[in-house]
């Protein structure tokens, strides 16, 4: 019991450090000093085990599960991207007959092929355009609506409910609803335009309009989350700041620029990061609305990878894995750059 | 809360003749505010409303522009009688439900550990959880597909559940960390003083306090699994094995569009989710941003 108590005390102290300073420093120093005090590395490990076994036992289930269902497939995915695996040569069972895999290791051939292919670069450009367009429009609209809703007026909660509705409906249902509205000959949008004397817009049949349409739908889906998150951020800005600014004679724009925007920075950074990642990987909107079409004009990286493995014939598993690895690489670079820029601005994240 | 607005108003009030009380608004500003919100609300609600109205029209009028035309429940009756809607619904409930329970269960202690302890391996673990969340399914889908094929789990709810855990577990752990962070550490200390070990503290003191957080996390995991499209489309084939995301696609193919059935199915999927969601949404946002900013 004595040993137990000492451990819990260490735990409690560690807990306090966690809450007090969320910087990157303390954890590492603690571990280092523990190792140094113990002398030999083995003793250090034993000591660490004695101190930290509670924590390690608590995280063990997640580490195990992720190791098996994420780690292993990840390693295998990277391996597949270095082979020529396709539907024709992977191991498969037809009836009772089992056919062994016959695909071969081909090194970096797939990467050379993908990176040398203009298709990859076209997809990348469109994916970036799509992500930037969606995130910036969503953020601008979300911020506008949040600022308006942050005021006091009659019917506020009714408006709020209505504006959140797109978020409450499962994404794939909304996308089908939009497909119905966008229908070229019978969709309500074109009928309304027709009533106004404007000829039908080929929403999903023309490459440019299809791009507009997928962005519009994604913005429609994304605004509610953005709005609610920013509204939360706005409400956490102390009212005294505005009063003080008013005393000093700051105009509405100055107050927005110097109080609201800085006050929202932490929330903005988070929601922009999240929605960038979500949009970059947004599969359902593209897949269900246009299937990447017309032609391949709205295909983003993720849907392209899916198409290669599950739509194209023969299914190209190696090619799809290569695209997957490249997408992951891009996202990790993005996250690192983003984190670095946050650090520079002094955000602790 | 009303500060920005009252400030803005008193600014303009000093210029106009009649002095308005703080917080009041000129009629013009009021009109602009309501007009903006009204337009935004119509855009937000219309697609959903239109599907609801379409589902109540006879199928032959599905594409008419009339708001209501001979309202009927035929679409619903047909949907339930002559499609696999109920099996899809059951598959979705099963997959999303089990994923949620397992995800929350597996991830709970991890959320607590990373919230309360500093331990070697914590930083890499946090990074793994974060990066796994932004994994595109593109990287895992092929290996998981082959793995499920080898195990004979394609077309089985179990296969999809295992797959969804790759999304749910890191997500749940990350979100729960945010909730545990919001519980004062003094409670843990009092538990330790009373002789509880960390497991006991977690189980007896923290978990009951974190129950709303667990519910929110679970709800999120549920709707994520409920709305997942890519894995469901790739792993489940054959009419009655589909989940809702796959099933709805069968109504609108390249060649035929059964808008009547599609709209009725959409309503049956969306309305319970939406009602539940609108009740829970306040907590949802708090949880998500807490988990994300306090990393």
């Amino acid at each position: 019991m004595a040993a137990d108590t000492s451990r819990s005390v260490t735990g409690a102290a560690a807990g306090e450090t966690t809450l007090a300073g969320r910087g990157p420093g303390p954890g590492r120093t603690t571990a280092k000093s523990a190792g140094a005090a113990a002398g030999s590395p083995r003793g250090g490990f034993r000591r660490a085990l004695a101190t930290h076994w509670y924590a390690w036992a608590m995280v063990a289930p997640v580490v195990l599960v992720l190791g098996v269902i994420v780690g292993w497939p990840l390693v295998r995915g990277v391996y597949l991207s270095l082979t020529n695996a396709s539907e024709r040569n992977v191991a498969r069972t037809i009836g009772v007959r089992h056919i062994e895999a016959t695909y071969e290791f081909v090194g970096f051939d797939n990467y050379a092929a993908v990176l040398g292919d203009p298709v990859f670069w076209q997809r990348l450009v469109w994916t970036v355009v799509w992500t930037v367009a969606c995130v910036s429009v969503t953020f601008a609209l979300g911020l506008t609506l949040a600022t308006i809703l942050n005021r006091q007026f009659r019917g506020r909660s009714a408006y709020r409910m209505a504006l959140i509705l797109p978020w409450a409906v499962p994404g794939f249902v909304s996308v089908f609803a939009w497909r119905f509205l966008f229908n070229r000959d019978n969709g309500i949008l074109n009928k309304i335009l027709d009533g106004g004397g404007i000829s039908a817009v080929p929403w999903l049949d023309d490459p440019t309009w299809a791009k507009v349409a997928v962005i519009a739908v994604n913005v429609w889906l994304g605004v509610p989350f953005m709005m609610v998150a920013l509204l939360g951020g706005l409400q956490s800005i102390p009212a005294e700041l505005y009063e003080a600014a008013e005393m000093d004679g700051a105009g509405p724009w100055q107050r927005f620029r110097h109080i609201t925007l800085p006050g929202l920075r932490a929330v903005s950074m988070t929601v922009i990061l999240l929605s960038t990642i979500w949009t970059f990987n947004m599969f359902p909107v593209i897949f269900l609305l246009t299937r990447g079409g017309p032609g391949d004009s709205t295909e983003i990286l993720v849907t392209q990878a899916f198409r290669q493995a599950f739509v194209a014939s023969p299914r190209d598993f190696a090619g799809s894995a290569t695209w997957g690895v490249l997408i992951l690489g891009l996202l990790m670079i993005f996250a690192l750059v983003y984190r670095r820029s946050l650090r520079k601005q002094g955000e602790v994240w | 809360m009303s500060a920005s607005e009252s400030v803005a108003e008193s600014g303009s009030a000093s210029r106009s003749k009649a002095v308005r009380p703080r917080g009041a608004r000129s009629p013009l500003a009021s009109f602009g505010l309501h007009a903006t919100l009204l337009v935004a609300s119509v855009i937000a609600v219309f697609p959903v409303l239109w599907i609801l109205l379409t589902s109540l029209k006879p199928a032959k009028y599905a594409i008419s522009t009339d708001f209501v035309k001979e309202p009927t429940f035929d679409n619903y009756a047909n949907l339930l009688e002559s499609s696999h809607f109920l099996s899809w619904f059951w598959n979705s409930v099963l997959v999303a439900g089990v994923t949620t329970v397992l995800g929350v269960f597996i991830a709970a202690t991890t959320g607590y550990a990373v919230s309360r302890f500093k331990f070697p391996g914590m930083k890499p673990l946090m990074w793994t959880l974060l990066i796994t969340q932004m994994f595109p399914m593109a990287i895992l889908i092929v290996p998981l597909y082959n793995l499920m094929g080898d195990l004979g789990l394609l077309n089985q709810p179990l296969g999809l559940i295992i797959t969804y855990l790759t999304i749910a577990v890191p997500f749940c752990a990350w979100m729960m960390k945010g909730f545990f962070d919001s519980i004062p550490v003094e409670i843990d200390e009092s538990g330790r003083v009373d002789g509880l070990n960390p497991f006991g503290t977690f189980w007896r003191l923290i978990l009951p306090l974190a129950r709303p957080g667990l519910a929110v996390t679970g709800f999120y995991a549920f709707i994520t699994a409920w709305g997942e499209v890519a894995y469901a489309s790739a792993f489940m084939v054959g009419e009655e094995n589909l989940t809702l995301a796959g099933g709805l696609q069968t109504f609108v193919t390249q060649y035929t569009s059964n808008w009547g059935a599609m709209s009725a199915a959409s309503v049956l999927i969306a309305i319970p989710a939406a009602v539940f969601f609108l009740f829970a949404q306040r907590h949802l946002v708090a949880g998500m941003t807490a988990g994300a900013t306090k990393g």
Side-chain angles (χ1 to χ4, degrees):
Chain A
M1 199 59 223
D4 214 282
T5 340
S6 77
R7 239 176 261 137
S8 353
V9 170
T10 334
E16 266 181 340
T17 356
T18 322
L19 288 180
R22 289 221 173 79
R28 210 170 296 151
T29 33
T30 318
K32 255 185 212 153
S33 59
S40 74
R42 270 197 77 176
F45 177 71
R46 208 170 292 160
R47 174 94 172 247
L49 189 68
T51 323
H52 300 295
W53 79 271
Y54 277 116
W56 283 342
M58 282 182 174
V59 302
V62 162
V63 173
L64 273 177
V65 167
L66 289 187
V68 173
I69 62 175
V70 176
W72 188 84
L74 182 64
V75 171
R76 184 149 172 87
V78 174
Y79 172 72
L80 278 177
S81 75
L82 302 172
T83 68
N84 63 357
S86 77
E87 192 178 8
R88 300 221 172 98
N89 57 19
V90 294
R92 58 207 181 276
T93 309
I94 300 168
V96 289
R97 210 156 61 91
H98 185 76
I99 302 167
E100 286 302 318
T102 54
Y103 57 84
E104 289 162 356
F105 188 81
V106 295
F108 288 96
D109 287 6
N110 291 320
Y111 290 93
V114 172
L115 294 175
D117 186 352
V119 169
F120 174 78
W121 301 103
Q122 283 166 21
R123 298 283 182 279
L124 180 60
V125 169
W126 161 236
T127 308
V128 171
V129 171
W130 143 266
T131 307
V132 171
C134 285
V135 174
S136 52
V137 175
T138 310
F139 183 76
L141 287 177
L143 184 58
T144 310
L145 291 173
T147 316
I148 297 177
L149 280 182
N150 195 33
R151 299 166 167 215
Q152 204 78 55
F153 56 88
R154 213 170 300 139
R156 193 166 76 132
S157 46
Y159 284 125
R160 191 168 177 279
M161 275 294 180
L163 290 171
I164 289 177
L165 190 66
W167 188 18
V169 175
F172 66 91
V173 174
S174 305
V175 175
F176 276 108
W178 277 99
R179 214 168 129 164
F180 183 56
L181 303 186
F182 277 141
N183 192 289
R184 183 182 195 159
D185 301 319
N186 305 315
I188 183 78
L189 286 181
N190 276 346
K191 294 214 166 147
I192 292 171
L193 290 180
D194 195 39
I198 301 167
S199 58
V201 174
W203 293 107
L204 302 177
D205 305 322
D206 171 82
T208 314
W209 280 113
K211 286 179 180 177
V212 174
V214 287
I215 292 176
V217 171
N218 198 49
V219 167
W220 184 85
L221 284 171
V223 163
F225 167 73
M226 197 65 99
M227 181 187 81
V228 174
L230 291 173
L231 192 56
L234 284 175
Q235 290 176 347
S236 69
I237 301 176
E240 293 80 33
L241 289 180
Y242 288 103
E243 278 162 24
E246 191 194 353
M247 298 287 241
D248 294 344
W253 171 248
Q254 282 175 314
R255 289 192 296 265
F256 181 75
R257 172 86 187 64
H258 296 289
I259 300 176
T260 310
L261 285 184
L264 281 181
R265 203 169 69 190
V267 177
S268 308
M269 288 294 166
T270 308
V271 291
I272 288 175
L273 175 69
L274 286 175
S275 71
T276 303
I277 292 168
W278 288 338
T279 311
F280 197 89
N281 290 330
M282 179 53 77
F283 178 82
V285 171
I286 307 269
F287 182 72
L288 298 178
L289 201 62
T290 64
R291 300 241 156 205
D296 51 12
S297 54
T298 54
E299 200 92 72
I300 57 173
L301 295 170
V302 174
T303 57
Q304 170 82 27
F306 184 87
R307 182 196 282 220
Q308 289 195 9
F310 297 102
V311 182
S313 181
R315 297 169 160 200
D316 181 3
F317 293 138
S320 180
T322 310
W323 282 75
V325 173
L326 289 171
I327 295 168
L328 181 61
L330 286 169
L331 280 172
M332 289 179 70
I333 293 170
F334 169 76
L336 285 175
V337 171
Y338 194 85
R339 197 170 99 117
R340 183 156 299 172
S341 75
L342 286 191
R343 276 239 181 103
K344 235 175 237 165
Q345 292 175 21
E347 296 290 334
V348 181
W349 182 72
Chain B
M1 189 187 308
S2 65
S4 66
E5 166 260 322
S6 57
V7 164
E9 283 321 312
S10 54
S12 63
S14 59
R15 257 171 272 129
S16 61
K17 270 177 251 162
V19 176
R20 239 171 270 116
R22 283 169 67 89
R25 208 182 323 272
S26 76
L28 192 65
S30 193
F31 175 80
L33 183 144
H34 282 280
T36 314
L37 286 177
L38 217 58
V39 170
S41 302
V42 167
I43 295 173
V45 171
F46 183 77
V48 181
L49 182 70
W50 192 244
I51 289 293
L52 177 64
L53 292 174
T54 303
S55 75
L56 295 172
K57 294 177 201 167
K60 59 181 171 180
Y61 295 131
I63 53 174
S64 80
T65 43
D66 301 289
F67 265 64
V68 186
K69 193 155 189 168
E70 301 170 24
T72 161
F73 284 100
D74 284 358
N75 286 323
Y76 292 90
N78 287 339
L79 177 75
L80 296 179
E81 274 164 25
S82 58
S83 80
H84 292 285
F85 184 80
L86 288 176
S87 358
W88 303 336
F89 202 90
W90 167 241
N91 287 341
S92 281
V93 170
L94 181 70
V95 170
V98 176
T99 303
T100 304
V101 172
L102 284 179
V104 171
F105 186 75
I106 296 170
T109 53
T110 300
Y112 179 73
V114 290
S115 164
R116 288 297 196 265
F117 305 128
K118 279 278 176 193
F119 56 92
M122 176 180 153
K123 281 250 145 191
L125 179 66
M126 295 289 289
W127 266 103
T128 313
L129 294 180
L130 185 70
I131 290 173
T132 315
Q133 281 186 73
M134 55 193 232
F135 263 25
M137 56 80 202
I139 176 75
L140 293 181
I141 193 165
V142 167
L144 281 172
Y145 180 81
N146 292 345
L147 179 66
M148 295 304 156
D150 290 346
L151 297 174
L153 290 177
L154 285 180
N155 252 337
Q156 305 279 335
L158 181 60
L160 213 50
I161 291 169
I162 294 173
T163 308
Y164 286 172
L165 283 178
T166 63
I167 309 169
V169 167
F171 170 78
C172 289
W174 191 263
M175 242 177 101
M176 280 185 227
K177 176 195 182 301
F179 283 111
F180 290 133
D181 279 348
S182 68
I183 298 174
V185 74
E186 286 77 23
I187 292 178
D188 301 53
E189 283 159 15
S190 70
R192 303 234 173 96
V193 170
D194 291 346
L196 285 171
N197 66 24
F199 290 115
T201 314
F202 170 71
W203 185 253
R204 296 229 208 128
L205 297 180
I206 304 299
L207 211 50
L209 283 174
R211 224 178 271 149
L214 296 189
V216 170
T217 309
F219 179 65
Y220 243 128
F222 187 88
I223 56 174
T224 309
W226 185 256
E228 204 282 330
V229 174
Y231 289 115
S233 306
F235 288 15
M236 309 299 262
V237 288
E239 281 264 306
E240 71 267 21
N241 295 326
L242 299 176
T243 58
L244 289 169
L248 205 54
Q249 292 178 46
T250 63
F251 292 134
V252 188
T253 66
Q254 205 152 8
Y255 310 103
T256 61
S257 299
N258 186 350
W259 295 116
M262 191 280 286
S263 58
S266 297
V267 171
L268 290 183
I269 302 166
I271 287 197
V275 169
F276 200 35
F277 185 95
L278 292 175
F279 276 114
Q281 40 92 13
R282 270 166 205 279
H283 309 284
L284 295 181
V285 185
M288 170 145 279
T289 44
T293 50
K294 289 181 186 165

